[in-house]
Every structure is written in structure tokens, then in C-alpha cells.
Amino acid sequence: MLVALDKIFAEDPSPYVLLDRDLTMIWANAAYLRATGLARDEVVGRRMFDVFPAEAESIPDQMLRASLRRAVEQGRPDHLPLIPYPIRNQDGRMEERFWSATNTPIKDAEGHVEFILQNTNDITALYREDRTSSQPNDQARMLQRAEAVTRQNLELGSAVDFFRSAIDQAPSFMAVLDGRDHVFRIVNQAYHQLVGRRDLLNRTVREALPELDGQGFFELLDEVFLTGLAFTRLAAPVLLRRGLEIERSFVDFIMCPLRGPDGQVRGVFVEGHDVTRQKIAEAEVIETRERFRTMAQTMPNHVWTATPEGRLDWLNDRLLDYCGRTDADLIGLPPMAIVRPEDRLQAEAAWVQSLAQGTAFERELRIRRHDGADRWHLSRALPIRDDQGRILRWIGTNTDIEDRKLAEEAIAGLNAALEERVQQRNRELEEMSDTLRQSQKMEAIGNLAGGIAHDFNNLLQTITGSIQLSLRALDEDHAARPRLDQALRAVERGATLASQLLAFGRRQPLAPRVINLGRLLRDADHIVRSAVGEGVEVETLVAGGLWNTCVDPANVETAILNLAINARDAMEGRGRLTIEIGNSFLDDTYTRGHPDLEPGQYVMLAVTDTGCGMSPEVIERVFEPFFTTKAEGRGTGLGMSMVYGFVKQSGGHVKIYSELGNGTSIKIYLPRSLEAEDAMRPLATGPMTGGTETILLVEDDEQVRSTAAGLLQDLGYSVLQAKDADRALTIVESGARIDLLFTDVVMPGKLTSRQLAEKTRGLRPGLPVLFTSGYTQNSIVHGGRLDSGVHLLSKPYTQEALARKIREVLVSGASGPPEEDGLKNIHVLVCEDDVIIRMNLVEGLTEAGCRVSQAGSGEAALSVLQQGPADLLLVDLGLPDMSGVDLARAARTLHPDLPILFATGDSRVPDEEFRPRVAVLAKPFGDEALLDGVARLVGRRPHLTMNSA
């Protein structure tokens, strides 16, 4: 470009300069430099208005800028016949000069203006000569005419610029199209925004907006141009390209013809508004209205709408059908027109208040049906507001509440009874709370008492054995024998005291048998009568058809005797004592107030006296150890404690009914047994005997071990001694002769006494085992009862009791559960997501002989069950992918008879649907509880191989 200009205009005597669209001068010929008096480096690369500044908004500034702008926008040369424009002279002062200029646009290959070539001639001398001459010639007159035209053009340009600015800032879109081809001459910002930012000026509509082809707009422009008639359309759809997408818009527009001075149409003026958002909003309103009406027609309620003034303007069909009216009957009326006349006045007042305040309307009222019947409805209405908060419409509903009103009337009639029932329930809850609190207190005291009794029995055993060995060494007439006999009797009283403490703490080992309490009372009748004395009249009442119960007979006898003695003391040796035995049923209502009691069938034993009775304060404490109302020295305060502990340990219940001055009735409820009565075994009689067998004695207390060894040796037995189960097992493994294992239950070390017995029987099948303890805990006693086949000698024991028990065990053979019992080869599927808990469960079950499969999720457990059945499913309630209950259901679908053992910390387990082969193991639980739960469900009795001491 510059090379071409240099060739053409370099030596041209007329001044030329080339500007880009930013009005930066990029080339100038020598004539231009001479005319301006500047060097090339002072011009090239600098903006024209920086090099040749003029006062802002002055006539020279406006004229030059307007000419350059027209050349760019119109794309054709623009002439300035005369323009005053100051430049600096050689002295650096601004000098007023006059010029004649032509600005010619130079376009690129796409037709866009890229450069402006300005030809400017300095006509200052000519202009001044013409101005001073008295006789202007033709040239002078031409310059004067040019100056006048220039000023008119400037004024016209200002008017045009104002017109362009007004159009450009107008909120509606506007465009001026020139000629038959509709060339864009003026386009405002709103129009650009409508069609997307693109070049429009000096291009025809068909070139600039080709996507309008086929939409009818080109044809409308042609028609307006040819006919000279304006055309208007509202909400016309139009497809316009914005970027790469074609978007649908809606416009209101008018096309007006533009006429020249001769009245001929020269162009078309287009003006309008983009109403796309309005159109979309209207469509949404219509859709919303139709959706609302469709929904309202499907609702079971009456639905209506009202004007802001509170007049109905729409009702759904359900309301019209209910009233038996038509739209014409109700439109324009207030909503309360359908209300029962008796309710209408108050309803209308409330409606008027809501209209005045613009608040929600809500009222219960009766609406008349088409058949004249009235039904209660709950009428509600809410106002719908516009952005300014003005109410546009009210939307209301009428909901039929006739059934609810009838129910409320019925409920109102039952209120008195309900309040009484609530008060009764509150009393029951208070009683339950008191019972629970008392039970917790007794449990805490029982634990303490049991612990004390354990250590006490070990001390008593040492004393008992030492005294008896000493007595055997003394002659019958030795002076020390009476004192030792007295000491032995004191030990026996201490043993009784410890036994009573264990009974209260529910820690005594019971040997329950299925018995008939009536027969037991008959056999013990003479003992009771002897104990209460001749001053007390004793009456026994035994009901016919008496059920059996499974309890420890000796403890039942002791309980009856304790209650009889307490009754005698309450009657001060004179009165009437009634002992009654019968069948009883405790229902849900009663057991609900006693959390540890199950509803069902019980055998009731009642002991009633005519004594002084007890106050509520005494009744609350009567079962506490060492509590007594007797004078000092007349009782230990442990009799009632023993009764309480024995009954609770047997799964029973005890209740006291007493009033001061009116006597006391104590009722004991023992669970019914459906089994046949056990035959009574005869008691051993005759002198005690010893033997020559070898006994392995295992006892961790050195004094007790030494005393027991002495008693056994005195009876003729050979004794091997071990201080713990580990050392005892070493003796067993050595091959030494052993005829009986005599071991304490609670010992330190890795092995428990029960594990020692199991391992010993494994090495020496048939070897008898005798356990001894002053506090058995749960090692060989479960549910307060000795395990079947287990022999136990309770501490403290006498030499005679030891001798008889040793001979009994040696004669009967091996103790403990049969070898075929236990959990060996039982297949247990453990489903637990906690890895540590699952590992512990698997380890314990494996140690007990089970075959264990494990899973960390419900899906994994079902996969195992699909491969084959298990003997039992042990499942946690909370699994990552499903609940334990859902897993149990799915497992039962695969294997209907599969036993389920839920292990959970949640007390509320819906296990009813899985009964009877289901159990719940409450967390936290011990190893014994786990094995016991598994054994019960699979019909086995576990070999307890885990530490339970």
C-alpha cells in the first residue's frame, strides 16, 4: 500500500496524508510536509489531532472530525471546500489557516474501510485576498459561497449528530434503510442488540441479515417501499442469528416509508420493540393458569378464585356439582353466597376483614349442598400479589371436615374417660419408675454383697478345715474341744450369713428341679409349725390342679421358713398364719410396670399374717440387706433379702401387701414348668467315709489349699496340689495317676477352671471333676443355675460334706456336659461391618468349635447363603448397604428355617416375624452370652472354652 502511494503521490504537488481508522498518520508525501512545515518523523506514527490540535468542540475541530467520521461510516469520499484550521508556524505560534480537504476511504478485500487518504490544500492566501478585495471576482464569490455552505453543513451536521444520538439512545430499536435494496444508513444500539452485534451500515438487509430469508420480512420491506403504505405487526416471531445459534424472538414493529422532497419513496424507517420476554412471561402465565386449573379440577376439594374486590371469577367442577349450580349462577358473587344462612353473616364479616387487610382468610363453616343438606368445611383463601405488593387475585379452597367434626364431638364425649386413663398411666409410669429405681438399688447392693461373700467364704473355709482337723487330733475329753466346737458353730453361722448374702445378690448356685409346691409344703409343714410356736394358728391352702415349677427345693423351704418366722415376730407369737399355694396368671397390664417380669403363668405362694403390718417406708426398704425392724440382737436383717434374691434369680416376682395394724401378705410368683415332676433323690446317710484314690487339688488361695489337702489326706486320699489351672494341666499331661479333679472355680491364669476340666477330659476321658467355690459367677452357673451334669461343693464346707460329695462324684463318674454336646462343626455366618468386632466374634466362635463364615455387608452375606445353607446367621442391625432386618428377611427367603441371632445395641428389634427361631443379643455382651445364644438357637449346650472367671 505505502509503496503504491509513494509511486503515485510522492512527487505530486498536492499534499496527501494516509490515516488508519484510529486517525494515526502512517504516510505523508513531500507536498504535505511542506504545507504543514513539519518533518516526516513529526508526522508519521502520530495521531492527527495530537499533531494538529484544535480547541475541543470548536468549529474546526467539529468540521474535521465530522468529515472523517462520514468517510468511515458512509464508505465514500467526503469534501470540505473550506475549513478554517490553525497550525503552528515556523515561530511556534498558532496561525489561523484555511484549507480545502477531501477525505477518501480506502476499503479492504471485504469492503470494510481500512484507511483514509486525505488531500488537503492550503488556500489561506486566496481566502484572505478575496476577503480584502473590493471587487470580488468569480473565484472570490465561489469561496464565499463555499464558506457559507460549509457553515450550513456544520450546522446541519450538528443537527444530524443530535438526531443520530437521539435515535441511538432510544429504547426501541430503529433503522433507516435507503433505496430499493434497503441499505442500512442509520442503526441504533437497540437494533444492534436485537440482531446481535454485527456490521450493518452501508450493507443491504439481505446481505446483513441473511437468516431473514423465507420469514417474509424482505417482502414486507419491498411492499412498503413500492406502495408507500406503512405496515404494523405485534408479537411477530423472528429467527435471528446470535453467534453460532439461531434464536427465536418476538417483536412489535412498524415499517414507515421515507419520502424525498419530490414525494417519492426514498427509503424505509423501521421502529419497534423486542417483546420476547413479555411473550415468554405471557406463555408462562397461560401455562401456569392452565396447570393450576387442571390441578384444581383433579383435587378432591372445592377450589375457587376471586377478584381483588372479593368476587368469584372461577370455580372448579367439584364445587359446582356440590352446590348444584352453574358458572353463570355464581360468577360475580362473593364466596360466602354458598354458605348456610345461619353462618353467612359472621363468615362475610371475616371475608370483608381479610379483603381490607390483605390477610389470609380461614374459617370453619357449613356449606349448603344441592339437596339442602349442610356439611362442615374448612374454607381458606390467600391473596396473590404482584411485584409492587398489589393483590391480583384470591385463591381459595373448601375442605370437607364433616367427618372430623363428628369425630371431635365423639372425642369430646370421651375426654373425661381419657383424662382418667392418662392419669392412670402416669401413676403406672411413676410406679414403674419407682420399681426400676428400687431394682437398680437392689442390684447394686447385691453385687457388693456377692463380692464380700466370695472373700468371706474363702476365710471361713480355712477356719472350718483347720478347726475340724484340730478336733480330730484331740481326745474326746480334751479341755479345748468345747471351745473349738463353739468356734465351729460360729463358722457355721458365718457360712449361713454368707449364703444369705449370695442369695440376695443372686449369686448362689441353684440346683433347680421340677417340683410340686403343694407336696413340698406338706413335707415341710412340721418344720414351719415348730418354728412359729403353738401360739400361732397355721392354715395351709393348696389349690387343686396345681402347676409344677422348676426351682431349688432347699431355697423354697428356706424362704417359707423365713417368711413364717417374720410373720410370727410381727404377731408377737400370737395370731393366724395362712400359707396359700395356687395357680396365677400375670398379664401385660401388670408386668408393664415391672420391667424384669415376663407375662405368663406362675405358681403363687402367699404367706399372710395378722400382725402389726408395715408402713410404706418400711416396705420400700424391707429387702435391703441388714435392714430390720426387730430389736437389736433378734435378727440379722438378711431373711427377706435372701427371699428376694432367690425369687429374682429363679425368674420370679415378689409382692408385699401390708397396712399398719392390719397384717401383711407376701406373695411369691414362680414361673410354671410344663415338665413332669422330678423324683426326689434320697439324702446320703450313715458315717462319712474316705478312700485311697488320688485327687488333684487346684486352689489359688494357699491357706484354703493347705486346709483342703489336710482334710482329704485325713480321709485317706492321696493329694496332688496345684495353685492354678496351668500348673494343674502340666500335672495331668505328666501321666501321673489321678482319680478325681477337685478345682476351685475362680482362679487367675490363662486357663479357667472350666477350660481345665475340658482339656483334662480330653486327655483322660471319664475323669470325674468336682468344682468348689464361694462365688461362682457365670463359669459353671448360667441363669443362676448349675449347668447340667456339673458337681459343685459350695464354700465353706465341712469335712463330712467334703467326704460325702467326693464319694458321690467318684461313684457317678465324669462331671460336666457330655462330649457330644457343644458347638463343634456348627456353621455360623457372621455379618458385622465393624472389622474388630467381627474378628472377635469369629475368634470366639472358632475357639468353641464352630465353622465360621464372615461377611462385612448384607450383599456379601447373601452371596455366602446362595452358595449353601448355614446353621445360624449372626447379624448386626446396622449394615452399610441394608439393615440387619432386611438381610434376615432375604436370608429366610433362601432358607426358611435358618435361625437368626440379632447382635445390636438397639433395644427395639422387630423380631416377631422371625419367631420362634430367633433371639436378640444386646450389646455389649460377653463370650458366654454369645455361645449360650448360639447354642440355644441350634439346640446345643456350649462347651465354654473362653475365660469366664
Side-chain angles (χ1 to χ4, degrees), residues 581-865:
I581 300 177
N583 299 330
S584 181
F585 180 81
L586 301 181
D587 59 17
D588 292 331
T589 302
Y590 182 82
T591 58
R592 193 179 297 120
H594 302 82
D596 58 345
L597 185 61
E598 293 291 332
Q601 297 174 329
Y602 290 82
V603 178
M604 187 272 297
L605 167 65
V607 178
T608 305
D609 64 59
T610 58
C612 60
M614 291 183 282
S615 67
E617 292 77 17
V618 172
I619 294 176
E620 186 175 353
R621 298 189 59 194
V622 71
F623 294 125
E624 294 180 9
F626 306 112
F627 175 79
T628 181
T629 58
K630 299 177 183 179
E632 186 174 354
R634 293 194 59 189
T636 62
L638 286 172
M640 294 298 291
S641 303
M642 187 278 294
V643 172
Y644 177 86
F646 157 69
V647 172
K648 291 296 183 182
Q649 192 173 353
S650 300
H653 175 61
V654 58
K655 182 69 176 177
I656 298 178
Y657 302 90
S658 182
E659 292 182 8
L660 286 174
N662 292 317
T664 299
S665 179
I666 299 178
K667 294 185 177 181
I668 294 174
Y669 297 88
L670 298 172
R672 177 189 180 183
S673 173
L674 299 177
E675 299 179 10
E677 185 178 4
D678 290 337
M680 297 294 291
R681 290 178 295 181
L683 297 175
T685 59
M688 66 177 184
T689 58
T692 60
E693 290 89 349
T694 299
I695 297 175
L696 174 57
L697 172 64
V698 188
E699 170 63 62
D700 62 302
D701 189 302
E702 186 174 352
Q703 292 182 344
V704 176
R705 185 174 69 251
S706 175
T707 302
L711 293 174
L712 291 170
Q713 290 167 349
D714 185 63
L715 292 171
Y717 296 108
S718 299
V719 181
L720 302 176
Q721 301 183 42
K723 64 181 298 184
D724 56 42
D726 299 308
R727 289 178 173 83
L729 185 60
T730 301
I731 295 174
V732 173
E733 292 173 342
S734 69
R737 175 184 173 181
I738 302 173
D739 297 301
L740 181 140
L741 172 63
F742 183 34
T743 176
D744 189 19
V745 172
V746 182
M747 289 186 299
K750 297 180 180 179
L751 288 177
T752 67
S753 59
R754 187 60 187 261
Q755 291 171 326
L756 170 63
E758 294 283 351
K759 291 181 179 293
T760 299
R761 281 199 302 270
L763 295 171
R764 301 190 182 193
L767 180 69
V769 178
L770 174 62
F771 292 98
T772 182
S773 180
Y775 179 49
T776 59
Q777 286 186 321
N778 291 322
S779 182
I780 59 174
V781 177
H782 293 87
R785 304 177 181 190
L786 282 172
D787 290 343
S788 176
V790 172
H791 297 286
L792 173 68
L793 180 63
S794 296
K795 297 178 182 178
Y797 48 80
T798 64
Q799 188 177 32
E800 180 180 355
L802 174 63
R804 295 188 186 281
K805 195 68 178 179
I806 289 287
R807 296 318 306 171
E808 176 188 340
V809 174
L810 284 171
V811 171
S812 64
S815 67
E819 285 296 323
E820 60 270 14
D821 284 352
L823 302 177
K824 186 175 182 181
N825 292 326
I826 294 297
H827 181 198
V828 179
L829 171 57
V830 177
C831 186
E832 166 65 61
D833 61 324
D834 188 296
V835 177
I836 296 178
I837 296 177
R838 187 168 70 246
M839 289 175 59
N840 290 337
L841 293 173
V842 171
E843 181 179 354
L845 292 168
T846 302
E847 184 180 346
C850 298
R851 291 186 299 110
V852 183
S853 300
Q854 53 179 304
S857 66
E859 289 296 335
L862 290 175
S863 177
V864 173
L865 291 173

